Structure formats: C-alpha cells, structure tokens
Amino acid sequence: MMHKKHFISLIAILGISLSINAQNIIHDAEQQILQEQYGEQWATQDKEIDKKLKELEKKFGKKPNIIHIMWDDNSFGEVGIKAFNYIRGFDTPRLNKMGEDGIVFTRMYTEPSCTPTRAAALTGRLAARSGMHTVAFPPEGSGLPAEEVTIAEILSEAGYNTAFFAKAHQGDIEESYMHNQGFDEAQFSLYNQFPPMFWHAEGEAVGLTKGYIKETTEKNYIVDQTWRPYGYIMDVEGKKGEKARETLPPTLENYRKVSQQHQDKALDYIKRKANDDKPFYLAYWPNLYDLIPQGQEITTSNSSMFAQNIEKLDMYIGQILDELKAQGISENTLVVAMADNGPMTEVPSAMYQNVFNGGKGDYREGGIRVAAFAQWDGVIEPGTYVGDMITVHDLFTTFAKLGGGTKYIPTDRIIDGIDQTAVFLYGDGQSRRDYYHVYTGLAHAATIKQQYKRVWIGGRPGLVKNDFFDLYQDPREMRGMMAQFLWAWGPFDMMKKRHDAMNKKYPFYSRHGVPFGGITNLRPETKTYIETVKRTMETGK
C-alpha cells in the first residue's frame, strides 16, 4: 500500500482534480447498489450543492470553517432535549439551544466504543480495517497506521488550517500522534480518561482502582518492580513535522489542568484563525469526565459527578459557540457536536441506559446510537430534526466535500463514509445510506438495513434465532423475532456475503511498535517502562 504522504503528494503533483470525484471512491458493496439506483438523482443534486457552496464561498471569501466536537459515553437523550433534562435532573441549555438553532440527529450511529469511533471519524473507514477496533490501555504498542489518510490531511491539502485538542486515544506509537496524522498543531491524550482519573491514591480511596499505588501493593514478596505501568504518558503536544513533548505527568491534579488547557486552546485557536485567509478545521474531543468528587462541588439534582461533568461540557460548548459569534464567523462555520458511543454502564453511580438498551461496547442501539447536533447559522434551517441514518464515518466524506477536498480522498481502499452534505444543507429525508455494518472488535456483530437489524453473533448453526429487530416498533430491542422476518433472512445473508467479499479484496490490517517514540522529554520511569515493553515485543523473535 502506498504511504499516505506519498499518495497525497502524487495527487497534488498530478493535479487529478478532474478525475477523482465521488464516483471514483470505493465504497462498500451496499453503497454501490444504492448508487446504481440513485446515482443520476444524486449527481443532479450535487450540481445544486456545488452551486450553493460556491455562493457561500464567494460571500465569505473562503470555504467554511469546520468544528467537530465529540465527547465520551453518553446515552441518547441525556443532552440536548429539555424534557430529558427534567427527567435526569441536570441541565444542558446550550446543547438544547444548539438543537433549536440547527439539526437534531435522531439516528446518528457511531462505533461501539471510543477508540474505534475516533478512528472512524478521522479516516471515514470502519475501525476494524486499520486495526483500531479495541480500547487499549498502557502499554498499547500500536496505533493508527501512517498509511491511513485522515480528514486533517485531506483538508490540509485543500488549503485548511488544522488543529486537534483533547482526547485522541489513537495509540501510543509515534506515527499515530495527531501532529503526525495531518494536524498542524495538537495537544492530545494517548489513552482514555481512566488512568489519570483513577490510577492514584485518590482513585484507590474511592474504590475505583485497586493495587496500583505502592501503598496498596504486596509488602513482603513482591519481586518485579517494573510490572505496573508507572511510566505511562497521559498527554502530549506537538506541531506538524516536529517531535512531541509530554505536557504534564499523569496525576489527578494534572489531568484537571490539561482538560482545562484543551478547552482554552480550542477557544484560542478560534480567535487566532478567525480572520486568517485560510479556513480552519478544529477537532475538539474533550476528555470530559472527572468522577473523583475530591475538590469538586455537586450542584445538580442528579447529585452525581457524571451529571456535573455533563453540565460542564454544556458550558464548554456554549463558550465555543459564543466565541464564533464574537469573532463574527458563525455564519461560515459548521459545528457538529456528538457523543462517541453509548454509556459505560460498568461505571457505578455514573452512566445509565436512557432511551435505548445497551451501552459502550454493545452492538445494540444504546451502544451505537448517540446524541448528535449540528449548527451552521444561516445555512441549516433552525429546528431541523433528521430521522435519516447517518454514521460517524460519513463526517469524513462530508467534511471533505465541504472543504473542497474530495479529490484527495484515496481510491485504493474502501471508504465507508458517504457524502451527506445534502442532509446538512436540505435536512430530513436526504441521506444517501440506509445500512450500517456494526463491528464489536473484529467481530461483525450486526447489520442494520432501513429500520431492521439482524444480529450475527450468538446464533445457532443451520437456523436463525430471534435475531431480527424492528427498530421502529421495538427501539429498545426487547423482542427479537424470527418467523416474521424469514423473508429478510436471505436479503441479510446477501448483504453479509457482499460485505465479506469486499473485505477479502481489501483486507483488514494493523500496526504495532514500541510506545512513546518521538517524545523529547521522557521521564526516567517512562524510559524504564519502554524497555519493559521492548523486551515483551522482542520475545520469540
């Protein structure tokens, strides 16, 4: 496979804008069937879309800014809907207002957990394709491969400034760092929130970690002093083409500091780039959760740190929207705000299933159907509700279209994301997909087609079980059916066979290596930690 940097350079040198368009992109087999049915209609609509985008560019003097805000583990309905604020006992006035001023997506699908969803947003591809299918903890020794082409690289080639702040969770090897994946500037976390939030004395004191700190380890017989990952790195920063540096060592106090830094940097970036000749793409994916009550005040009726964190997130998003208005650029900025997956129901006294059954890591609707909103003043009709199916992968292709970067999308691999610009410009009923293949890890767990879902895992050989669900009649997936959907057995089988055939033609792959390469200010304990990981990786060679 051609290295992505070489691919993009070749495109730029040859100027292949006339030959690479939406028709050249390789989509999954199901999309090809839809294209055969609606290709002419969509091509006509695309001409209207191109005209509208050119008019907007002429009006503002540049293409639209794009901000993608994404946070963790949120049950659908917990934010953005006032009635549910009353039900849950905490308030999200700014997200509620965002929904009133723009789009409320009622059927936005993600992958079942944070690392896969973030990889999908960056690449427009099912996370399993690039090995980014698992939520990893230190030491991971893997990450987003360099060959993957991210939306930051696409938009950089199209003339955008790009920045990433907060939770990346795309691996701990050097090629996976955000400033090595197309972002001009970045400050980001290598893992999720659990290590800095819980792996310390404060976390052990409230029972959310056990046996990590030296005070709670074996006193008489411990031998291996390098077993625990004391040298892991929480947060780094870097600029494109440069090495990275660790920002602060992982402690609860420092976790709180860097979380605020991420918000401050996002606001500062908007101020710095508002009047730049180039538009900007900002990925701001806040860590959000801080479930240790020490040093925090609880003011919500819900009376949990989770609710307190959600209200803080709402305030942060409000600050960003206010800054766009203060800089006079809200009418030339698309903002998409969404959760990355459903609630992590294993976290005690924090996250619960709200509307749909299932949570993080689950193929059920509760794991993959998330709260999502979009605002673009003067472009998106206020009060728009979209019932169409749209997935996080689609944002890659849609942002590329809005930014004039479609011609830079690689055509040597499957792109699962579909251009959904029509949904953002024209609203409900404009989606160009009616299916989604759901993976949990490397397992193809379920397939959704229109309002129906078939579950693939846990069946019995030779005969389907009650593995079919009507998501309109049974949105909580309480009553699986079989006999009523025997007509759909064959059509779903055909979908899976076509999907499997495409996967065979374009195989999944992954990338592994030694953590923390390219970081200039390694702590002594981190260097020891790296050597431990090296020995593990070299075993058996």
Side-chain angles (χ1 to χ4, degrees):
M1 181 181 293
M2 182 181 292
H3 192 287
K4 64 183 174 183
K5 308 296 191 299
H6 297 159
F7 175 86
I8 291 179
S9 297
L10 181 61
I11 292 296
I13 292 169
L14 297 180
I16 311 182
S17 60
L18 67 161
S19 63
I20 295 182
N21 53 45
Q23 282 68 46
N24 298 119
I25 297 171
I26 301 171
H27 290 303
D28 206 347
E30 206 64 22
Q31 191 64 29
Q32 295 175 21
I33 291 174
L34 298 182
Q35 182 68 33
E36 290 171 4
Q37 297 177 61
Y38 296 97
E40 291 185 8
Q41 176 181 326
W42 291 341
T44 299
Q45 187 180 50
D46 282 341
K47 291 179 181 178
E48 299 173 2
I49 290 172
D50 289 340
K51 182 180 178 181
K52 185 165 187 175
L53 293 178
K54 286 178 181 176
E55 290 173 352
L56 288 170
E57 184 175 359
K58 183 178 179 181
K59 178 179 179 181
F60 294 104
K62 56 185 176 181
K63 296 186 185 299
N65 306 306
I66 300 169
I67 299 177
H68 183 205
I69 304 170
M70 189 160 64
W71 61 91
D72 275 277
D73 305 358
N74 207 184
S75 182
F76 183 93
E78 283 184 317
V79 300
I81 302 174
K82 189 173 183 178
F84 278 100
N85 288 170
Y86 285 91
I87 292 169
R88 292 303 308 276
F90 55 84
D91 298 320
T92 59
R94 298 310 302 266
L95 281 167
N96 297 357
K97 181 89 167 46
M98 190 175 180
E100 294 168 2
D101 292 343
I103 293 175
V104 176
F105 293 100
T106 65
R107 209 174 179 198
M108 169 69 84
Y109 285 112
T110 63
E111 302 229 2
S113 52
C114 46
T115 293
T117 291
R118 290 156 201 273
L122 287 168
T123 67
R125 287 157 46 81
L126 291 171
R129 300 194 189 283
S130 59
M132 300 303 294
H133 47 75
T134 299
V135 176
F137 291 85
E140 182 173 359
S142 64
L144 188 66
E147 289 86 347
E148 290 297 315
V149 177
T150 70
I151 186 58
E153 290 170 313
I154 296 292
L155 291 176
S156 290
E157 289 297 321
Y160 273 66
N161 296 306
T162 58
F164 185 101
F165 301 117
K167 180 180 174 180
H169 205 180
Q170 290 302 289
D172 53 15
I173 58 176
E174 186 173 3
E175 66 192 82
S176 72
Y177 302 160
M178 292 297 96
H179 60 289
N180 294 331
Q181 289 285 350
F183 290 94
D184 299 330
E185 54 186 279
Q187 181 181 344
F188 56 98
S189 53
L190 302 179
Y191 308 106
N192 71 9
Q193 299 91 327
F194 267 72
M197 189 164 56
F198 294 145
W199 295 5
H200 39 62
E202 296 88 346
E204 294 219 19
V206 295
L208 291 171
T209 295
K210 186 174 179 63
Y212 182 77
I213 63 174
K214 293 179 180 180
E215 289 79 2
T216 60
T217 61
E218 159 65 43
K219 302 298 187 297
N220 297 320
Y221 308 108
I222 191 168
V223 179
D224 189 351
Q225 300 294 329
T226 66
W227 186 57
R228 288 169 177 78
Y230 291 139
Y232 83 90
I233 291 177
M234 168 181 66
D235 186 84
V236 301
E237 62 182 356
K239 293 183 178 181
K240 186 182 292 184
E242 299 180 4
K243 296 293 184 179
R245 60 177 299 277
E246 183 179 22
T247 54
L248 290 169
T251 65
L252 178 60
E253 180 183 6
N254 286 343
Y255 170 64
R256 290 172 175 173
K257 285 181 179 178
V258 298
S259 296
Q260 184 63 53
Q261 284 176 7
H262 296 153
Q263 171 70 5
D264 293 342
K265 285 194 172 184
L267 291 169
D268 178 67
Y269 185 78
I270 292 170
K271 293 176 185 176
R272 287 191 285 117
K273 301 301 181 181
N275 296 312
D276 195 278
D277 291 339
K278 298 164 61 175
F280 66 80
Y281 166 63
L282 168 62
Y284 174 45
W285 299 350
N287 283 287
L288 177 58
Y289 295 117
D290 180 356
L291 301 180
I292 300 293
Q294 175 186 326
Q296 300 193 78
E297 181 183 7
I298 295 179
T299 60
T300 69
S301 295
N302 182 281
S303 300
S304 70
M305 290 314 307
F306 168 77
Q308 208 68 32
N309 295 163
I310 293 295
E311 289 201 350
K312 186 175 184 179
L313 168 72
D314 189 74
M315 177 186 71
Y316 277 179
I317 292 175
Q319 289 174 355
I320 287 174
L321 295 174
D322 287 345
E323 191 60 47
L324 294 175
K325 288 187 181 297
Q327 296 296 328
I329 60 172
S330 63
E331 292 187 353
N332 197 38
T333 304
L334 168 65
V335 183
V336 176
M338 60 186 289
D340 67 351
N341 49 249
M344 189 173 183
T345 55
E346 294 85 355
V347 177
S349 303
M351 302 177 191
Y352 298 89
Q353 301 164 13
N354 204 45
V355 174
F356 304 112
N357 267 327
K360 186 169 188 168
D362 198 334
Y363 58 81
R364 290 180 295 173
E365 298 292 284
I368 58 176
R369 192 164 169 177
V370 301
F373 313 88
Q375 184 171 329
W376 188 352
D377 292 347
V379 177
I380 292 176
E381 188 72 23
T384 298
Y385 276 76
V386 169
D388 300 85
M389 185 187 299
I390 185 170
T391 77
V392 67
H393 316 75
D394 297 341
L395 297 180
F396 170 90
T397 323
T398 304
F399 292 167
K401 170 72 172 182
L402 293 172
T406 301
K407 57 181 172 288
Y408 302 113
I409 294 176
T411 57
D412 62 346
R413 66 200 71 183
I414 294 173
I415 302 296
D416 297 286
I418 309 303
D419 177 14
Q420 300 282 22
T421 304
V423 174
F424 288 89
L425 297 187
Y426 303 125
D428 191 50
Q430 301 297 320
S431 178
R432 297 184 181 184
R433 79 155 64 237
D434 68 350
Y435 67 95
Y436 179 35
H437 294 291
V438 184
Y439 278 76
T440 53
L442 280 174
H444 187 182
T447 293
I448 304 169
K449 179 72 171 180
Q450 298 165 13
Q451 75 265 42
Y452 306 119
K453 177 186 284 188
R454 180 175 176 181
V455 177
W456 299 111
I457 59 178
R460 53 190 173 191
L463 181 67
V464 296
K465 294 176 67 175
N466 290 337
D467 291 333
F468 297 92
F469 296 88
D470 183 328
L471 297 175
Y472 280 148
Q473 294 184 12
D474 182 18
R476 289 181 60 78
E477 298 166 278
M478 301 286 287
R479 301 174 185 173
M481 292 178 275
M482 179 185 74
Q484 300 91 330
F485 284 99
L486 291 178
W487 67 266
W489 184 348
F492 270 112
D493 277 351
M494 292 301 101
M495 287 184 68
K496 190 174 189 305
K497 287 179 180 178
R498 292 190 292 266
H499 178 67
D500 290 344
M502 290 287 285
N503 291 347
K504 186 176 181 180
K505 186 176 180 181
Y506 299 94
F508 298 172
Y509 75 111
S510 60
R511 181 60 43 73
H512 302 276
V514 177
F516 311 135
I519 297 175
T520 59
N521 58 337
L522 296 174
R523 288 172 279 125
E525 58 267 37
T526 303
K527 293 178 182 179
T528 299
Y529 179 54
I530 291 172
E531 291 305 312
T532 301
V533 177
K534 276 185 180 179
R535 285 195 294 271
T536 303
M537 297 182 70
E538 291 169 356
T539 300
K541 284 188 176 181

